[in-house]
Amino acid sequence: MKILVTGGAGYIGSHTCVELLNANYDAVVLDNLSNSSEKSLIRVKNITGKSLEFYKADLLNKKQIMTVFSDHKIDAVIHFAGLKAVGESVSMPLKYFHNNIIGTLNLLDVMNDFNVKNIVFSSSATVYGDPASLPITENFPLCATNPYGRTKLMIEEILQDIYRSDRNWNIALLRYFNPVGAHKSGEIGEDPFGIPNNLAPYISQVAVGLLPRVSIFGNNYDTPDGTGVRDYIHVVDLALGHLKTLPKLFTNPGLVVYNLGTGFGYSVLEMIKGFEAASGKTIPYKIVDKRPGDIAACWADPSKAETDLGWKADKTLSDMCKDAWNWQKKNPKGYR
Ligand code: NAD
Ligand code: UDP
């Protein structure tokens, strides 16, 4: 089976490529490297001892996508490619709509032309907005609070419409909670360009001495210690969720939706303590104002994925922190 992985050089994509190759899938990666390095794919080959095909190509360029489909008989697409920085999406909404929506439309058009109608789409827990209760199940109401989230919601809706119009499509919408950690080898991991927006890479960069301290965005939320609570999931567990989704897709399920989370929430302070334990370093922090748009708490009910796919995240917070730290200390400047 040959899987096209868009955005495969990125953080979640590279970890998924490792698991695909380990499971004897053939992988073809399409990535424009706008937020990643080709080095991640060299490391994927080193970890697995297997090769994959890489196309430095842009989803905004339909001809480049067509070349990939002409060169390979693709069985399914895992579509990671997209821009993902919430703050940047607020200041540059057009860039986000253009890249994420037009890029996806181009991909879907070419898939349709080549009669490849199996797709796994990277959605996000952000499509639940500020949930009325916890844990979050897949049938909670959806709402986007920023342009990035709106692209995820719009693409989910586009895929729903495509499925309504043509029942030959098989579509899995995977709503990720908060991916953290790295492959246990420390060869691949999260490598944000510039100052990280997300908590885990920020803490790692403080631990390794690149940044002076963590700014905790508010400590008076209605949570046990007042700091924000999220469902952090090890990126390898998340990658394995895709591996469990593919066989399901090949049973012609139509359109399916799954939360990929652990079902547990951890606070910002618990994350900092976890990284301190993993790194043996003290991680300085200060409390600052809340980040506009942040919600107090969010965690998944992942039981549908367990029942339908036989998938369950099994790595602990300690695994996540240890593996993130191992990657960070081996690669203080990421792939650079
Ligand atoms: P990432 O930025 O590391 O990977 C995305 C990849 O897509 C990058 O390698 C980038 O170069 C590529 N890309 C972007 N636009 C492209 C285009 N037009 N053509 C070709 N390649 C393009 O991000 P990630 O953390 O690995 O996230 C993967 C997917 O999962 C994204 O769609 C993201 O929105 C979604 N997601 C991520 C998180 C998270 O916290 N990391 C949470 C929920 C959902
Ligand atoms: N957070 C923080 N400082 C940071 C980055 C994040 O206190 O520098 C908090 C944020 O308010 C939230 C949690 O950490 O409660 C996770 O934030 P992240 O941006 O990683 O994920 P998201 O908010 O998208 O779930």
Side-chain angles (χ1 to χ4, degrees), residues 7 9-13 30-36 57-60 79-84 99 122-125 148 152 176-179 190 198:
Y11 173 45
I12 308 171
L30 179 162
D31 199 304
N32 66 1
L33 304 181
S34 60
N35 195 40
S36 54
D58 198 315
L59 289 181
L60 296 176
H79 177 32
F80 292 110
L83 298 173
K84 62 165 185 178
N99 190 75
S122 299
S123 189
S124 163
Y148 164 71
K152 292 292 171 199
Y176 311 155
F177 281 67
N178 290 56
E190 189 167 12
N198 294 110

Coordinates of all heavy atoms in Angstrom, one line a residue, residues 7 9-13 30-36 57-60 79-84 99 122-125 148 152 176-179 190 198, ligand 1:
G7 N 2.8 17.3 3.9 CA 3.3 17.9 5.1 C 4.1 16.8 5.9 O 4.3 17.0 7.1
A9 N 7.3 16.3 6.1 CA 8.5 16.6 6.7 C 8.3 17.3 8.0 O 9.3 17.6 8.7 CB 9.3 17.6 5.7
G10 N 7.1 17.7 8.3 CA 6.8 18.4 9.5 C 6.8 17.5 10.8 O 7.2 16.4 10.7
Y11 N 6.4 18.1 11.9 CA 6.5 17.5 13.2 C 5.7 16.2 13.3 O 6.2 15.1 13.4 CB 6.0 18.5 14.2 CG 5.9 18.0 15.7 CD1 6.9 17.2 16.2 CD2 4.7 18.3 16.4 CE1 6.7 16.7 17.5 CE2 4.6 17.9 17.7 CZ 5.6 17.1 18.3 OH 5.5 16.6 19.6
I12 N 4.4 16.2 13.0 CA 3.6 15.0 13.2 C 3.8 14.1 11.9 O 3.8 12.9 12.0 CB 2.1 15.4 13.3 CG1 1.9 16.4 14.5 CG2 1.2 14.1 13.6 CD1 0.5 17.0 14.6
G13 N 4.0 14.8 10.8 CA 4.1 14.0 9.5 C 5.4 13.1 9.6 O 5.3 12.0 9.2
L30 N 5.0 14.8 0.2 CA 4.9 16.1 -0.5 C 4.9 17.2 0.5 O 4.1 17.2 1.4 CB 3.6 16.1 -1.3 CG 3.3 17.4 -2.2 CD1 2.2 17.1 -3.2 CD2 2.8 18.6 -1.4
D31 N 5.9 18.1 0.4 CA 6.1 19.2 1.4 C 6.8 20.3 0.7 O 7.7 20.1 0.0 CB 6.8 18.6 2.6 CG 6.6 19.5 3.9 OD1 6.9 20.7 3.8 OD2 6.2 19.0 4.9
N32 N 6.4 21.5 1.0 CA 7.1 22.7 0.4 C 8.2 23.2 1.4 O 8.8 24.2 1.1 CB 6.1 23.8 0.0 CG 5.4 24.4 1.2 OD1 5.7 24.1 2.4 ND2 4.6 25.4 1.0
L33 N 8.3 22.5 2.5 CA 9.4 22.9 3.5 C 9.2 24.3 4.1 O 10.2 24.9 4.5 CB 10.8 22.7 2.9 CG 11.1 21.3 2.4 CD1 12.5 21.2 1.9 CD2 10.9 20.2 3.5
S34 N 8.0 24.9 4.0 CA 7.8 26.2 4.5 C 7.9 26.3 6.0 O 8.2 27.3 6.6 CB 6.4 26.8 4.1 OG 5.4 25.9 4.6
N35 N 7.7 25.1 6.7 CA 7.8 25.1 8.1 C 8.5 23.9 8.6 O 8.3 23.3 9.7 CB 6.4 25.2 8.8 CG 6.5 25.5 10.3 OD1 7.3 26.4 10.6 ND2 5.7 24.9 11.1
S36 N 9.5 23.4 7.8 CA 10.2 22.1 8.1 C 11.5 22.1 7.3 O 11.8 22.9 6.5 CB 9.3 20.9 7.8 OG 8.9 21.0 6.4
A57 N 7.3 20.1 -3.1 CA 6.2 20.6 -3.9 C 5.2 21.3 -3.0 O 5.2 21.2 -1.8 CB 5.5 19.4 -4.6
D58 N 4.4 22.2 -3.7 CA 3.5 23.1 -3.0 C 2.1 22.7 -3.4 O 1.7 22.6 -4.5 CB 3.8 24.5 -3.4 CG 3.2 25.5 -2.4 OD1 2.0 25.3 -2.0 OD2 3.9 26.4 -2.0
L59 N 1.2 22.6 -2.4 CA -0.2 22.2 -2.6 C -0.9 23.4 -3.4 O -2.0 23.2 -4.0 CB -1.0 21.9 -1.4 CG -0.6 20.6 -0.6 CD1 -1.5 20.5 0.6 CD2 -0.8 19.4 -1.6
L60 N -0.3 24.6 -3.4 CA -0.8 25.7 -4.1 C -0.5 25.5 -5.6 O -1.1 26.3 -6.4 CB -0.3 27.0 -3.6 CG -0.7 27.3 -2.2 CD1 -0.1 28.6 -1.7 CD2 -2.3 27.4 -2.0
H79 N -3.3 13.9 5.0 CA -3.1 15.3 4.7 C -2.8 16.2 5.9 O -3.7 16.7 6.6 CB -4.4 15.8 4.0 CG -4.4 17.2 3.6 ND1 -3.3 17.9 3.3 CD2 -5.5 18.1 3.6 CE1 -3.6 19.2 3.0 NE2 -4.9 19.3 3.2
F80 N -1.5 16.3 6.2 CA -1.0 17.1 7.3 C -0.7 18.6 6.8 O -0.7 19.5 7.7 CB 0.3 16.6 7.8 CG 0.2 15.3 8.5 CD1 0.8 14.1 8.0 CD2 -0.4 15.2 9.8 CE1 0.8 12.9 8.6 CE2 -0.4 13.9 10.4 CZ 0.2 12.8 9.9
A81 N -0.4 18.8 5.6 CA 0.1 20.1 5.1 C -0.8 21.2 5.5 O -2.0 21.2 5.1 CB 0.5 20.0 3.7
G82 N -0.3 22.2 6.1 CA -1.1 23.4 6.4 C -0.3 24.3 7.3 O 0.7 23.9 7.9
L83 N -0.7 25.5 7.4 CA -0.1 26.5 8.4 C -0.9 26.3 9.7 O -2.1 26.1 9.7 CB -0.2 27.9 7.8 CG 0.6 28.1 6.5 CD1 0.3 29.5 6.0 CD2 2.1 27.9 6.8
K84 N -0.2 26.5 10.8 CA -0.9 26.1 12.1 C -0.7 27.1 13.3 O -1.1 26.8 14.4 CB -0.3 24.8 12.5 CG 1.1 24.8 12.8 CD 1.6 23.5 13.6 CE 3.1 23.6 14.0 NZ 3.6 22.5 14.7
N99 N -3.5 29.4 1.9 CA -2.7 28.2 2.0 C -3.5 26.9 2.3 O -3.5 25.9 1.7 CB -1.6 28.4 3.0 CG -0.5 27.2 2.9 OD1 0.3 27.2 2.0 ND2 -0.6 26.3 3.9
S122 N -6.0 16.0 9.0 CA -5.5 16.5 10.3 C -6.4 17.7 10.8 O -6.2 18.8 10.4 CB -4.1 17.1 10.2 OG -3.2 16.2 9.8
S123 N -7.4 17.3 11.6 CA -8.2 18.4 12.2 C -7.7 18.6 13.6 O -6.6 18.1 14.0 CB -9.7 18.1 12.1 OG -10.5 19.2 12.5
S124 N -8.4 19.4 14.4 CA -7.9 19.8 15.7 C -9.0 20.0 16.7 O -10.2 20.3 16.3 CB -7.2 21.1 15.5 OG -7.0 21.8 16.7
A125 N -8.7 19.8 17.9 CA -9.6 20.0 19.0 C -10.1 21.5 19.0 O -11.1 21.8 19.6 CB -9.0 19.7 20.4
Y148 N -7.2 30.3 11.9 CA -6.7 28.9 11.8 C -7.7 27.9 12.0 O -7.9 26.9 11.2 CB -5.5 28.7 12.8 CG -5.1 27.3 13.0 CD1 -4.5 26.5 12.0 CD2 -5.5 26.6 14.2 CE1 -4.2 25.2 12.2 CE2 -5.1 25.3 14.4 CZ -4.5 24.6 13.4 OH -4.2 23.2 13.6
K152 N -9.7 24.8 9.6 CA -10.0 23.4 10.0 C -11.5 23.0 9.8 O -11.8 22.0 9.3 CB -9.5 23.1 11.4 CG -8.0 23.1 11.6 CD -7.3 22.0 10.8 CE -5.8 22.2 10.8 NZ -5.1 21.4 9.8
Y176 N -7.0 16.2 16.6 CA -5.9 16.0 17.5 C -6.1 17.0 18.7 O -6.5 18.1 18.6 CB -4.6 16.4 16.9 CG -4.2 15.9 15.6 CD1 -3.3 16.5 14.7 CD2 -4.8 14.7 15.1 CE1 -3.0 16.0 13.5 CE2 -4.4 14.2 13.9 CZ -3.6 14.9 13.0 OH -3.2 14.4 11.8
F177 N -5.7 16.5 19.9 CA -5.6 17.3 21.1 C -4.2 18.0 21.0 O -3.8 18.5 20.0 CB -6.1 16.6 22.3 CG -7.6 16.6 22.3 CD1 -8.3 15.9 21.3 CD2 -8.4 17.4 23.1 CE1 -9.7 15.9 21.2 CE2 -9.8 17.5 23.0 CZ -10.4 16.7 22.1
N178 N -3.4 17.9 22.1 CA -2.1 18.7 22.1 C -0.9 17.8 21.9 O -0.4 17.2 22.9 CB -2.0 19.5 23.3 CG -3.0 20.7 23.4 OD1 -4.2 20.5 23.3 ND2 -2.5 21.9 23.5
P179 N -0.4 17.6 20.7 CA 0.7 16.7 20.5 C 2.0 17.3 21.1 O 2.3 18.5 20.9 CB 0.9 16.6 19.0 CG -0.1 17.6 18.4 CD -0.9 18.2 19.4
E190 N 9.9 18.2 17.5 CA 9.3 19.5 17.1 C 10.4 20.5 16.9 O 11.2 20.7 17.8 CB 8.3 19.9 18.1 CG 7.4 21.0 17.7 CD 6.2 21.2 18.6 OE1 6.1 20.6 19.6 OE2 5.3 22.0 18.1
N198 N 3.7 27.3 21.2 CA 3.1 26.3 22.0 C 3.9 26.1 23.3 O 5.1 26.3 23.3 CB 2.9 25.0 21.2 CG 2.0 25.2 20.1 OD1 2.4 25.2 18.9 ND2 0.7 25.3 20.4
Ligands
NAD1 P1 4.2 21.3 10.8 O1 4.2 22.8 10.5 O2 5.4 20.8 11.5 O3 3.9 20.4 9.5 C1 3.1 20.9 8.5 C2 3.9 20.7 7.2 O4 3.1 21.2 6.1 C3 5.2 21.5 7.2 O5 6.3 20.6 6.9 C4 5.0 22.5 6.1 O6 6.3 22.8 5.4 C5 4.0 21.9 5.2 N1 3.2 22.8 4.4 C6 2.5 23.8 4.8 N2 1.8 24.4 3.7 C7 2.1 23.6 2.6 C8 1.8 23.7 1.2 N3 1.0 24.7 0.8 N4 2.3 22.8 0.4 C9 3.1 21.8 0.9 N5 3.5 21.7 2.2 C10 3.0 22.6 3.0 O7 2.9 21.1 11.7 P2 2.4 19.8 12.5 O8 2.4 20.1 14.0 O9 3.2 18.6 12.1 O10 0.9 19.7 12.1 C11 0.4 18.9 11.1 C12 -1.0 19.1 10.9 O11 -1.7 18.8 12.1 C13 -1.4 20.5 10.5 O12 -2.5 20.5 9.5 C14 -1.9 21.1 11.8 O13 -2.8 22.1 11.6 C15 -2.6 19.9 12.4 N6 -2.6 20.0 13.9 C16 -1.5 20.2 14.6 C17 -1.5 20.4 16.0 C18 -0.3 20.7 16.8 O14 -0.4 21.2 17.9 N7 0.9 20.4 16.3 C19 -2.7 20.2 16.7 C20 -3.9 19.9 15.9 C21 -3.8 19.8 14.5

